[in-house]
Amino acid sequence: MDRAKKPAAIPVSPIQPTPQVSISDDNSRVTANLPTGQHVDILLYGATVVSWKSANGKENLFLSSKAHLDGSKPVRGGIPLVFPLFGPPTPNHPTGNLPQHGFARTSRWEYLGKSSSESSTLPNSKGDASVKLDFGLSSSMLSDSKWDYDFNLTYSVTLSQDSLETSLVVRNTGTSNYDFHVLFHSYLAVDDINDTTVSGLEKAAFKDKMQGGKEVGPAGKPIAIESETDRIYTTAPEQTIKVLEKGKDRYELTRDMLSDVVVWNPWIEKAKGMADFEPENGYKKMICVEAGSVSAWNTLEAGDTWEGGQRIKAL
């Protein structure tokens, strides 16, 4: 029997595509893809990001064709994570027995899982169009770190439609205070280093490693790479850094709790001298703009937590 007033049909919402995350068959890497085409690839060795592609397929990170991806050496390229030491070992310091740049980049991390709904701690993030991958490393996972402190690290990599975020939470789970450095050693891909400049550091003083760590005053102009460059700039975390190609914005770097920016390019001779740097003229295709806290030690008291991060926006 027909009724005069039938109940309205309940509308069915179309199924929205969601980010896809997969783990390689050999359990060595985690890959995430957004429905809009963005991609990130992370090794469990060092929790090293080795690829970040925009929706159009353009690769944003430089990775040496001779990079060791099997866990035998630190990865040359991508975004190696530096902790708890930046640079060579420091004599008469608890980090004195550690390898250069510490052990985080050469340790196997645990994949903790994914989330596509959490908002970022950094401003203007698009949490609804992103996927966050979490990785963990603790002192109990290391057989011989040569660093006698208890810690727990949570490293998060968030892929969004126009950016990649990396953040680190350091927890002191022991009874002793300790000092540490942290740095995201980002190798950014560029078309030609001769057409590349870095802005946002014009008013910042820096330590020039090419002059033995000499303190140099602000240059007052954007950075152009014309020879081997290795500098540590100190500037307020709220200062935005940009990488430009032919005068047009290519990347935008935003930092949280990280007051240092390392700018590095090996140039011709140093590139030739690195066995895992290929092609030899690859220095023309990359620039390292590295957010960190390395110009002074960060002291973390027993039971306390430290957190910092960066967002790199591809423009």
Side-chain angles (χ1 to χ4, degrees), residues 2-210:
D2 291 337
R3 291 191 295 178
K5 295 183 179 180
K6 297 181 181 180
I10 299 174
V12 177
S13 300
I15 298 175
Q16 297 295 323
T18 59
Q20 300 298 309
V21 177
S22 62
I23 303 175
S24 63
D25 292 340
D26 61 357
N27 197 33
S28 68
R29 67 177 66 201
V30 178
T31 299
N33 294 281
L34 296 185
T36 44
Q38 295 81 0
H39 166 94
V40 70
D41 199 6
I42 304 141
L43 298 180
L44 291 181
Y45 176 71
T48 306
V49 180
V50 292
S51 177
W52 164 37
K53 293 181 180 179
S54 298
N56 61 4
K58 187 175 182 65
E59 178 61 66
N60 297 308
L61 298 176
F62 172 85
L63 182 68
S64 167
S65 60
K66 283 191 175 181
H68 294 260
L69 305 181
D70 59 357
S72 60
K73 287 187 65 177
V75 177
R76 177 69 67 188
I79 309 179
L81 176 60
V82 173
F83 176 91
L85 169 70
F86 172 69
T90 304
N92 303 316
H93 190 270
T95 58
N97 292 322
L98 296 179
Q100 176 162 310
H101 292 336
F103 53 75
R105 65 178 185 154
T106 56
S107 298
R108 182 177 173 85
W109 291 61
E110 178 185 3
Y111 173 52
L112 301 177
K114 69 181 175 83
S115 170
S116 56
S117 60
E118 282 194 30
S119 297
S120 166
T121 59
L122 294 165
N124 302 320
S125 295
K126 301 177 180 178
D128 292 338
S130 65
V131 60
K132 182 167 76 74
L133 309 173
D134 292 328
F135 303 85
L137 181 69
S138 64
S139 47
S140 63
M141 296 168 62
L142 306 181
S143 58
D144 181 17
S145 71
K146 297 181 180 179
W147 196 56
D148 193 24
Y149 295 100
D150 294 324
F151 65 89
N152 184 288
L153 306 180
T154 302
Y155 182 47
S156 299
V157 178
T158 303
L159 176 66
S160 301
Q161 291 184 9
D162 62 357
S163 66
L164 187 75
E165 300 177 20
T166 60
S167 63
L168 182 69
V169 177
V170 183
R171 297 179 179 88
N172 185 341
T173 56
T175 57
S176 301
N177 302 349
Y178 55 72
D179 297 336
F180 70 93
H181 292 150
V182 63
L183 180 97
F184 302 107
H185 199 321
S186 307
Y187 288 71
L188 300 178
V190 297
D191 290 335
D192 188 340
I193 193 63
N194 295 303
D195 297 326
T196 302
T197 55
V198 180
S199 71
L201 297 169
E202 292 86 346
K203 298 179 180 180
F206 60 92
K207 294 180 181 178
D208 190 350
K209 290 191 176 182
M210 303 312 299

Side-chain angles (χ1 to χ4, degrees), residues 272-289:
K272 289 180 179 179
M274 295 187 291
D276 60 349
F277 192 94
E278 190 72 27
E280 283 189 0
N281 67 349
Y283 72 91
K284 294 181 179 180
K285 299 295 184 180
M286 53 76 63
I287 185 170
C288 284
V289 181

Side-chain angles (χ1 to χ4, degrees), residues 237 255-259 292-293 298 306-309:
R255 295 164 292 139
D256 181 35
M257 296 297 292
L258 302 172
S259 59
S293 183
N298 303 283
W306 178 94
E307 182 174 1

